[in-house]
Amino acid sequence: MTTTERDASRSVAPGNLDTTITMPGRELLTVLARHLPALRSMATPNDRDGTFPVQTFRDFARDGVLGATVPVELGGMGVSRLHDVAVALLRIAEADASTALALHAQFSRGITLTYEWRNGPPATRDLAERLLRSMARGEAVVCGAVKDHPSAVTQLRPDGSGGWLLSGRKMLVTMAPIATHFVVSAQAPVAGGPTLLLAPIVSRNAPGLSVIDGWEGLGMRASGTLDVAFDDCPVPAGDVLARGSVGAHGDAALAGHAVSSITMLGIYAGVAQAARDLAVDTVARRSTIPSAAKRTLVAEIDARLYALRATASASLVNADELSPNQEMDAEERGRRMMTPFQCAKLMVNQLAAAVVDDCLTVVGGATYVADHPLARLYRDVRAGRFMQPYTYVDGVDYLSAQALNLERDNNYVSVRAAPPVDGR
């Protein structure tokens, strides 16, 4: 972050989540504006049919959107501020939350790979640069595969010639229908030592990789959220990123977890905004003066929406301020980024759902059909509580442990990989 950008971030008033800070952020919004009418028109049919908007992402690739968070020197748009990425996702989510969720996967990967390119060892920098340049050209679509399917633990084992073999199955992999690469959370057991946490980057055409269709989600139905299975997929040694070890209890990783996920706050702010605008427009077009009860609900909707956007904006500005600070203690930096993010996430998830609920009440029984836009928003907004880091339950555990100074492994990838206590 430059001094000019840091000063600009301080000038952004909390609550002003509709304005980008940087010129690259403004340029991204200009490009996205051309796509919003088509997104709105296809949101309902894509949701109804569970259809991923493949053509939309082809158009994004053509216009450079898939390389938005890639540095300019590698051919991308150079959007580096988390605040600006969240604003962009908010605008998309107002039109279609499923598309915003899928695009978040690409934006997030651009940000995290840029960190690897700037700070990693030589082999990691080379890998990151190769992927980032391909993303900037609209060729690489890179998404994360974190959550293990209940049927399998995803593991790496040496192939005997310096590389690795990957086996297992991941679920809830968003944007999977068009992904060209998967960043996979995997375990690598070590004889006599702690199990390593690694992140192999696996090409879609790798032998043994299969994308399994059949997503029937309650919400975010057009996000392309599928299972991906690995059956002894070969992974070159240079295509694996180190992610620590199980049970390390180190909070330095929290900074990366925060950076990779905090911009999703914009998605749920966008869903709430879309619901509010639809409800207010519906009431305003009616010939009768709205009842006092409806006017009260409208006022409360706007108050909640302001509080939601202010909370999200403040946490994003905080993360942008701390993220580039490599001089402070890494664990303290991780906690100071994650804790405001989790406070904001908890409140955004609660307030966004409350806004949408009240919007259904304001509009009335017409919303209680599957094809009504508010019905889609009602289902989509509830996805926020299940998103890592953290889910609602894990977020409560994290925040209460911070307040009460309780010992806890805050790396959710490590926690998932840890063996059950007492065999349970």
Side-chain angles (χ1 to χ4, degrees):
M1 185 193 306
T2 66
T3 300
T4 300
E5 288 178 328
R6 187 175 292 110
D7 290 343
S9 73
R10 294 191 180 109
S11 70
V12 175
N16 191 14
L17 201 57
D18 57 2
T19 302
T20 55
I21 297 168
T22 66
M23 182 60 71
R26 289 191 286 275
E27 291 172 352
L28 175 59
L29 292 187
T30 299
V31 174
L32 289 175
R34 301 198 292 266
H35 297 273
L36 297 182
L39 290 179
R40 289 191 183 94
S41 68
M42 292 303 296
T44 294
N46 284 344
D47 173 79
R48 180 184 61 238
D49 301 332
T51 301
F52 185 81
V54 174
Q55 185 57 50
T56 294
F57 279 78
R58 288 174 180 161
D59 294 341
F60 283 161
R62 179 199 63 214
D63 290 350
V65 174
L66 298 187
T69 55
V70 174
V72 172
E73 53 265 54
L74 299 183
M77 295 179 67
V79 182
S80 61
R81 301 304 303 270
L82 298 168
H83 184 277
D84 289 0
V85 174
V87 171
L89 291 173
L90 187 156
R91 296 283 178 85
I92 299 167
E94 287 180 306
D96 180 20
S98 286
T99 297
L101 183 61
L103 191 55
H104 162 265
Q106 181 82 349
F107 285 171
S108 172
R109 204 53 56 195
I111 292 169
T112 55
L113 284 171
T114 296
Y115 178 86
E116 301 286 0
W117 175 61
R118 296 191 190 281
N119 300 284
T124 297
R125 293 201 299 269
D126 290 344
L127 171 63
E129 180 171 341
R130 185 172 74 247
L131 286 170
L132 288 166
R133 288 189 182 278
S134 186
M135 291 170 68
R137 294 193 298 268
E139 298 169 356
V141 180
V142 188
C143 61
V146 177
K147 184 175 177 61
D148 275 336
H149 190 274
S151 66
V153 174
T154 305
Q155 292 189 332
L156 281 168
R157 71 177 193 277
D159 65 0
S161 59
W164 299 89
L165 293 173
L166 177 69
S167 294
R169 179 167 172 171
K170 294 295 184 179
M171 59 187 297
L172 301 176
V173 182
T174 297
M175 201 173 59
I178 62 167
T180 62
H181 297 79
F182 300 91
V183 182
V184 185
S185 294
Q187 302 178 36
V190 177
T195 297
L196 299 180
L197 296 172
L198 302 175
I201 299 179
V202 189
S203 170
R204 188 189 189 94
N205 59 14
L209 186 151
S210 56
V211 177
I212 303 168
D213 208 344
W215 171 244
E216 288 292 342
L218 175 66
M220 300 292 187
R221 288 177 48 78
S223 62
T225 301
L226 307 176
D227 286 8
V228 182
F230 311 94
D231 184 10
D232 282 347
C233 291
V235 182
D239 289 1
V240 177
L241 305 175
R243 291 292 182 259
S245 61
V246 175
H249 285 225
D251 286 346
L254 295 181
H257 292 332
V259 165
S260 66
S261 299
I262 193 171
T263 59
M264 279 196 290
L265 296 176
I267 297 174
Y268 300 100
V271 171
Q273 186 69 54
R276 179 267 180 202
D277 291 347
L278 195 156
V280 169
D281 181 66
T282 300
V283 171
R285 286 188 287 104
R286 290 173 177 168
S287 57
T288 57
I289 297 175
S291 66
K294 286 189 176 182
R295 292 168 65 182
T296 300
L297 283 174
V298 168
E300 291 178 344
I301 286 167
D302 273 3
R304 288 194 182 102
L305 190 55
Y306 177 80
L308 182 163
R309 293 172 75 124
T311 301
S313 180
S315 68
L316 286 156
V317 171
N318 173 76
D320 274 325
E321 181 73 16
L322 292 174
S323 179
N325 189 341
Q326 300 292 318
E327 297 178 359
M328 69 184 300
D329 176 77
E331 297 206 359
E332 177 67 14
R333 172 171 164 264
R335 290 188 291 271
R336 287 179 58 187
M337 291 177 66
M338 182 58 76
T339 301
F341 169 32
Q342 287 308 303
C343 289
K345 185 176 185 294
L346 190 150
M347 295 312 301
V348 166
N349 291 159
Q350 288 182 355
L351 292 171
V355 165
V356 178
D357 285 350
D358 282 350
C359 288
L360 266 69
T361 302
V362 167
V363 175
T367 63
Y368 207 65
V369 293
D371 273 358
H372 196 285
L374 275 174
R376 170 169 51 84
L377 297 172
Y378 180 85
R379 289 181 280 105
D380 286 348
V381 79
R382 278 153 178 78
R385 284 198 169 197
F386 301 102
M387 297 293 177
Q388 291 280 5
Y390 299 104
T391 66
Y392 173 77
V393 172
D394 291 339
V396 168
D397 282 350
Y398 170 82
L399 288 173
S400 61
Q402 291 298 301
L404 299 172
N405 197 28
L406 303 177
E407 176 66 19
R408 181 179 186 273
D409 187 350
N410 293 317
N411 183 338
Y412 72 98
V413 178
S414 171
V415 170
R416 284 175 169 176
V421 178
D422 298 330
R424 291 192 294 271

